[in-house]
Amino acid sequence: MNDIAIRCEGLSKQYRIGMRGPYKTLRDTLTDAMYAPFRRVRSAFQGNGKPADGVDTIWALKDVSFEVKRGEIFGVIGRNGAGKSTLLKVLSRITEPTRGRAEIHGRVGSLLEVGTGFHPELTGRENIYLNGTIIGMKKAEVQHKFDEIVDFAEVEKFIDTPVKRYSSGMYLRLAFAVAAHLEPEVLIVDEILAVGDIAFQEKCLGKMTNVAKEGRAVLFASHNLPTVQHLCAGVILLRQGKTEAIGQPQDVIGLYLSEAANEGKVSLRGWTDRSTTGEARLLEVEIRNGQGDLTNRIPVGGSVSFVFRMEFYRPTADPTFGVIIHNTLGEPILDVRSHHSGFRPGRVSGQVIVRARIEKLGLYPGRYFLSPWISDSTAKRDIDYVKLCCALQVDPAPGPFGDLKLDSRWGKYWVQSDWQSNG
């Protein structure tokens, strides 16, 4: 019992959805009062999980149970809308569960949004002391950590500037520094780390590792599967608010990736696990072999074509198209993008079809996953990025002198080479 930092038992959170807003008019209040006696009678017979006023409900979390030990980094993964953020908000006491219970032993430091718990009118210095007070630290304790926080966040020049004038990067660095350094027994971190630059992300991941080594617990929700695999001792996979799996990172990540479509033609219209600005949308992806056949099975050294159907809702000049190929741990293995070949489509709008062909695909035999994307090359930002939506199977193939003997211990990519001798 003393080793447990977080224990969740049947944790559930229900939200109301529908046309009805959070504010009532006087007419709404009087009507509710008039029909309240009848509503109580009717609800006893309804039995369909809906409130009697007709407003629908949705379970963002449903019967989620797990434990996190002290000194452990525990990962939370799942596609967009799976319930990750809701779980972290419940554990951070931002919202209350509808059912079930969560026990947290010790102080909680959380980073769910940029500047969580910051007052925009206060300076960085004032916000550090404010956050320390909120979690129950004495002024002397905060003062002891103050220099370390400022040094980690790299905002010394701006520490007496109101945080409303900080850039998003400065906001993030200070927010994480405060959450991690004020000695919480439990540190809760959402995908927000993706906002920072690479150097800062590595710095944060190192800090989370140190927090765990000091005997404190870290709950880490992320789409970055290689990072989850590297950092976490255990992982929970959520799907539509329910627990899909709990276990070792490699096993749970493998199950997560198995949801990718295993066919040559995949519709992306309903794929929710994506980052999009709404300016354009990938609608469909096709995988074809060297003969033009629709298939997601390609031999080592064979040719492969990717066909992307998309729609632009506003004219865009010279967008970049691409696809990232990931291995079974979600690590990026190959980056294929249109600008690398000098392709410039000009100004595009409406429905567009783009084709990319790779001659002699040299990936070692195995299962891979595709993340197609569109970006605005002028603004240098992603327009639509669809994550791990379909699978690509690379099969062994005969070489010119028999089968290619390829072993993943030796490499990840095969290339044809010419050898000569002077003898």
Side-chain angles (χ1 to χ4, degrees):
M1 180 65 183
N2 292 334
D3 290 338
I4 302 300
I6 302 174
R7 172 178 282 124
C8 295
E9 297 177 350
L11 205 61
S12 303
K13 179 63 180 179
Q14 186 182 57
Y15 288 107
R16 292 167 55 145
I17 58 175
M19 297 300 293
R20 191 152 188 175
Y23 304 107
K24 292 184 178 181
T25 63
L26 177 59
R27 183 179 64 182
D28 292 333
T29 303
L30 294 175
T31 303
D32 285 350
M34 182 183 298
Y35 284 99
F38 304 101
R39 186 177 297 119
R40 283 194 292 270
V41 173
R42 185 175 60 183
S43 64
F45 298 96
Q46 193 164 351
N48 61 3
K50 295 183 180 181
D53 59 7
V55 178
D56 290 331
T57 62
I58 184 172
W59 288 98
L61 288 177
K62 190 69 177 291
D63 298 325
V64 174
S65 301
F66 64 94
E67 292 181 349
V68 182
K69 296 180 180 179
R70 299 184 190 278
E72 181 177 77
I73 302 179
F74 192 83
V76 182
I77 63 174
R79 301 196 181 276
N80 287 349
K84 303 186 300 297
S85 294
T86 301
L87 173 61
L88 269 54
K89 287 178 180 178
V90 170
L91 295 178
S92 299
R93 298 186 179 93
I94 293 174
T95 185
E96 294 183 354
T98 306
R99 286 204 312 247
R101 57 181 294 174
E103 297 177 8
I104 301 179
H105 301 279
R107 292 188 303 214
V108 177
S110 61
L111 182 61
L112 308 186
E113 299 175 1
V114 175
T116 301
F118 279 8
H119 192 296
E121 299 295 337
L122 299 181
T123 66
R125 182 188 303 274
E126 291 165 338
N127 271 294
I128 292 174
Y129 281 99
L130 174 63
N131 275 262
T133 302
I134 289 172
I135 67 173
M137 295 183 71
K138 296 179 181 179
K139 183 177 180 180
E141 293 179 292
V142 179
Q143 184 63 48
H144 178 69
K145 289 286 184 179
F146 184 84
D147 290 341
E148 190 176 349
I149 291 172
V150 175
D151 181 64
F152 186 95
E154 301 172 4
V155 293
E156 183 177 1
K157 293 182 179 179
F158 308 96
I159 196 62
D160 291 309
T161 301
V163 296
K164 68 180 181 181
R165 295 181 183 151
Y166 283 17
S167 67
S168 60
M170 292 165 60
Y171 227 110
L172 172 64
R173 293 199 300 271
L174 185 59
F176 182 87
V178 168
H181 286 80
L182 292 184
E183 298 186 345
E185 281 78 22
V186 176
L187 178 61
I188 299 175
V189 183
D190 204 349
E191 186 69 66
I192 191 65
L193 288 181
V195 176
D197 56 43
I198 297 298
F200 179 69
Q201 288 180 37
E202 292 177 353
K203 195 174 180 179
C204 291
L205 296 175
K207 181 61 181 176
M208 286 195 290
T209 301
N210 291 337
V211 167
K213 287 179 179 178
E214 293 167 0
R216 293 178 276 164
V218 179
L219 192 65
F220 178 49
S222 179
H223 280 287
N224 191 325
L225 301 181
T227 299
V228 171
Q229 164 77 19
H230 174 70
L231 283 182
C232 299
V235 177
I236 182 171
L237 170 62
L238 297 179
R239 183 175 183 180
Q240 296 180 348
K242 299 179 180 179
T243 302
E244 184 81 0
I246 300 177
Q248 295 296 313
Q250 186 167 347
D251 297 334
V252 178
I253 289 172
L255 180 61
Y256 172 84
L257 291 172
S258 69
E259 297 175 5
N262 190 31
E263 52 194 54
K265 185 176 182 179
V266 179
S267 173
L268 306 178
R269 294 177 184 271
W271 193 262
T272 59
D273 198 7
R274 66 203 306 159
S275 301
T276 183
T277 63
E279 299 167 69
R281 192 172 183 88
L282 285 153
L283 305 178
E284 186 179 77
V285 59
E286 291 181 359
I287 306 171
R288 296 182 178 272
N289 62 16
Q291 291 72 47
D293 300 325
L294 197 64
T295 177
N296 73 325
R297 304 188 72 98
I298 305 295
V300 174
S303 298
V304 62
S305 295
F306 302 110
V307 181
F308 304 107
R309 288 180 171 82
M310 63 199 75
E311 185 166 8
F312 283 82
Y313 303 112
R314 50 172 282 185
T316 304
D318 279 333
T320 302
F321 312 101
V323 59
I324 297 174
I325 301 178
H326 309 259
N327 65 8
T328 52
L329 294 178
E331 297 172 311
I333 297 298
L334 189 60
D335 177 23
V336 182
R337 61 180 65 197
S338 58
H339 274 193
H340 286 174
S341 64
F343 176 68
R344 300 289 191 276
R347 193 172 182 83
V348 299
S349 62
Q351 294 214 4
V352 177
I353 298 176
V354 175
R355 298 175 178 84
R357 183 178 174 89
I358 300 175
E359 300 291 349
K360 297 181 179 179
L361 180 69
L363 289 173
Y364 273 32
R367 187 173 170 83
Y368 299 87
F369 303 92
L370 308 183
S371 296
W373 52 268
I374 311 167
S375 74
D376 186 331
S377 56
T378 303
K380 296 183 179 180
R381 58 185 173 83
D382 290 340
I383 296 176
D384 195 27
Y385 173 53
V386 183
K387 304 170 186 175
L388 303 164
C389 60
C390 50
L392 173 68
Q393 181 68 41
V394 178
D395 295 327
F401 305 102
D403 290 345
L404 292 170
K405 304 300 182 183
L406 301 177
D407 190 314
S408 59
R409 294 174 298 175
W410 306 333
K412 299 177 180 177
Y413 203 89
W414 166 85
V415 292
Q416 186 175 1
S417 57
D418 294 323
W419 293 72
Q420 297 178 352
S421 172
N422 292 331

